[in-house]
Amino acid sequence: MSVKNKTIWYCSSCGNESPKWMGRCPACGEWNTMVEAPAQTGKASAGVASPLRNDRKPQQLKDIAFSDEERKSLGMAEVDRILGGGIVPGSLVLVAGEPGIGKSTLSLQIPLHCPDLKTLYVSGEESAKQVKMRARRLGGSPDNCLIYTETLIENIISEATAINPDLMIVDSVQTMYSESIESAPGSVSQIKEVASALLRFAKGSGVPVILIGHITKDGFIAGPKILEHIVDVVLQFEGENRGSYRILRSIKNRFGSTSELSVFEMTGSGLREVSNPSELLIPMHEQGLSGTAICAMLDGTRPFLFEVQSLVSSAVYGTAQRSATGFDVRRLNMLLAVLEKRAGFHLSAKDVFLNMAGGLKVNDPAADLAVIVAVLSSNFDFAIPADFCFAGEVGLSGEIRPVSQTDRRIIEAERLGFKKIFVSSFSDTQQKTKDIRVVKVADVPELVKALFR
């Protein structure tokens, strides 16, 4: 059968197909995300051959052999932990993030830190000499790492089948293309075809594949939205390019928990694993400064403490400014309204600036209490003791609501040497503490009396 080409519209956000252009995608509801790309009907003669056998038969679930020891360590404890204890043979892992965030650095550090695995590193963005220059800067052992600069997916799979590596890394999916698709590399159809070919190779050969994918500022066509339904694991690499900290977050994991994250610090010699993020995010300045408060945050299942910074000053212009870095500015406005309505603090004529230390982006509602304390501390120019920390959600009526897994937050605060932690009076804490005092407060006025009286 001959190959027939026709035009199909794809949503660059979710990959939904449509025979015609639509302003709004009916699947994900995003506007102006439809892009045109050629689609194929029929059987392509130049397609990627699947290594899967055609003689497979259905098996009883009880008869399928399985071993817990099949996972392979990647030589980086934080990466192994977020994967669930190592990478599973035959799995397809997508590491996605904005350009320049450090995905290529992380992907090259893995084979350099794990010389026991024969790794095929496929680079479609850099030459072999450029990869060598970066490897010299990162250090490690390059003895068992093979570099292959190629962008045609048929050649890559053919070479990988002949080498039979223990691990294959492809950097990046946007540069790869297949001869069976006539569109340009990086298009929706090419990305889907390349990812599907790598998935067939991984499942058929048992070689785990790490796939690097870029996302744009708006999360459009280059991002993992199209790929997340194909791959087994999606790891999101986050952080500010100007900052030194990077967060690797598990978005999807068929072989482990999605409530995990790992913290790295970008240094001149590559990414350094931060096994205890709290020690880096707590105050790095002299005591006695106003406008700071420590929050006991929980991201997934990992608790860590960080500093909330605030600056309150008289508005120079007619309209007061509200600015937040790493925190939702709309939630900041809500907390300021609660302070004015429920606690009687008049902040409408003052500029309020908020910053989450370390370049973190905080979504945990437990940060509400620390935000309010930091704002009031700056407003009164009253320094909060450095050994106090806070964990609580603030409601619209001014009540302090309990947050999840309060005991884990208390344990982390006690381990780091804090003397007091303020939580909701409705929290059902079972943790017996020896070196830290748990102070329970019911609402914002009670919190103010406990701190500023």
Side-chain angles (χ1 to χ4, degrees):
M1 181 183 296
S2 61
V3 178
K4 299 179 182 179
N5 294 326
K6 67 176 183 178
T7 297
I8 286 219
W9 292 86
Y10 291 92
C11 174
S12 60
S13 179
C14 66
N16 182 57
E17 300 180 7
S18 174
K20 62 179 181 179
W21 181 87
M22 289 184 289
R24 185 179 186 183
C25 174
C28 64
E30 295 290 334
W31 288 90
N32 300 323
T33 57
M34 304 300 290
V35 293
E36 188 178 13
Q40 285 192 323
T41 59
K43 185 176 180 180
S45 59
V48 179
S50 172
L52 295 174
R53 300 192 306 270
N54 295 326
D55 58 347
R56 292 188 181 272
K57 301 297 182 182
Q59 304 178 60
Q60 287 281 351
L61 181 61
K62 63 180 181 180
D63 297 332
I64 299 176
F66 174 76
S67 173
D68 291 334
E69 300 177 356
E70 291 183 352
R71 291 180 181 266
K72 298 179 180 179
S73 174
L74 296 180
M76 301 181 70
E78 289 296 301
V79 178
D80 287 343
R81 186 179 58 81
I82 200 172
L83 289 173
I87 194 167
V88 176
S91 61
L92 183 59
V93 178
L94 173 66
V95 179
E98 296 177 357
I101 203 67
K103 302 182 301 299
S104 298
T105 300
L106 176 65
S107 62
L108 187 57
Q109 277 189 227
I110 289 174
L112 294 177
H113 286 74
C114 191
D116 295 336
L117 296 181
K118 182 171 67 173
T119 305
L120 177 62
Y121 186 92
V122 182
S123 177
E125 298 182 343
E126 299 175 305
S127 66
K129 291 184 178 180
Q130 290 174 326
V131 177
K132 175 66 174 180
M133 291 174 59
R134 186 150 47 88
R136 291 180 60 185
R137 177 175 59 86
L138 298 178
S141 175
D143 297 338
N144 217 4
C145 181
L146 303 174
I147 306 299
Y148 186 38
T149 56
E150 179 59 77
T151 56
L152 182 61
I153 192 63
E154 286 84 359
N155 292 344
I156 293 171
I157 291 182
S158 176
E159 195 68 27
T161 303
I163 295 175
N164 190 27
D166 298 321
L167 174 68
M168 184 166 76
I169 300 173
V170 179
D171 184 15
S172 66
V173 66
Q174 278 75 30
T175 61
M176 305 297 158
Y177 72 98
S178 172
E179 287 182 333
S180 62
I181 305 293
E182 295 184 357
S183 59
S187 63
V188 177
S189 54
Q190 284 285 6
I191 289 177
K192 294 177 69 175
E193 177 63 25
V194 168
S196 299
L198 290 172
L199 179 67
R200 293 193 297 269
F201 167 75
K203 301 303 180 186
S205 64
V207 176
V209 179
I210 296 178
L211 187 61
I212 305 300
H214 297 297
I215 64 173
T216 63
K217 292 291 185 180
D218 298 326
F220 285 161
I221 194 167
K225 294 297 183 182
I226 300 169
L227 302 175
E228 62 184 5
H229 303 294
I230 300 176
V231 301
D232 298 311
V233 180
V234 179
L235 303 180
Q236 185 83 12
F237 213 26
E238 304 173 353
E240 295 291 337
N241 291 333
R242 296 181 297 272
S244 60
Y245 299 115
R246 304 287 189 270
I247 294 178
L248 187 64
R249 192 185 306 273
S250 177
I251 305 298
K252 171 187 177 182
N253 193 349
R254 289 174 177 163
F255 315 111
S257 173
T258 57
S259 300
E260 294 291 345
L261 83 161
S262 300
V263 181
F264 298 87
E265 182 183 10
M266 180 64 77
T267 65
S269 58
L271 290 166
R272 184 182 69 85
E273 298 176 273
V274 180
S275 57
N276 186 11
S278 300
E279 295 181 354
L280 295 177
L281 300 176
I282 55 180
M284 298 182 182
H285 52 69
E286 296 180 356
Q287 296 186 11
L289 295 180
S290 62
T292 62
I294 306 299
C295 172
M297 191 179 81
L298 193 71
D299 200 318
T301 60
R302 186 171 192 174
F304 57 91
L305 282 74
F306 69 98
E307 185 182 47
V308 178
Q309 301 174 343
S310 178
L311 177 63
V312 179
S313 61
S314 299
V316 179
Y317 305 101
T319 304
Q321 299 183 63
R322 301 286 187 264
S323 177
T325 302
F327 192 78
D328 189 358
V329 69
R330 293 172 297 182
R331 190 156 188 91
L332 172 62
N333 289 329
M334 184 203 79
L335 295 176
L336 295 178
V338 170
L339 283 177
E340 184 156 352
K341 180 70 175 180
R342 305 298 181 185
F345 296 104
H346 301 289
L347 301 172
S348 58
K350 295 187 177 182
D351 295 334
V352 179
F353 303 95
L354 190 69
N355 177 52
M356 304 291 115
L360 292 179
K361 294 181 180 179
V362 179
N363 297 317
D364 190 354
D368 290 353
L369 206 57
V371 169
I372 281 184
V373 171
V375 169
L376 293 179
S377 171
S378 179
N379 184 54
F380 296 146
D381 196 20
F382 179 86
I384 302 297
D387 54 1
F388 287 12
C389 62
F390 306 86
E393 179 184 358
V394 177
L396 290 178
S397 61
E399 82 279 9
I400 298 176
R401 306 172 63 86
V403 292
S404 62
Q405 303 187 50
T406 304
D407 288 338
R408 299 195 63 179
R409 305 171 197 262
I410 295 174
I411 294 173
E412 178 73 5
E414 184 178 22
R415 188 178 66 84
L416 292 174
F418 285 84
K419 299 302 181 184
K420 280 187 182 181
I421 181 170
F422 290 77
V423 299
S424 171
S425 60
F426 303 100
S427 298
D428 185 17
T429 57
Q430 304 295 332
Q431 180 65 28
K432 295 182 179 180
T433 59
K434 181 183 299 184
D435 299 325
I436 189 172
R437 178 187 171 194
V438 179
V439 181
K440 296 186 176 182
V441 287
D443 50 27
V444 174
E446 184 178 344
L447 172 69
V448 174
K449 291 179 181 179
L451 288 174
F452 302 102
R453 60 183 178 182

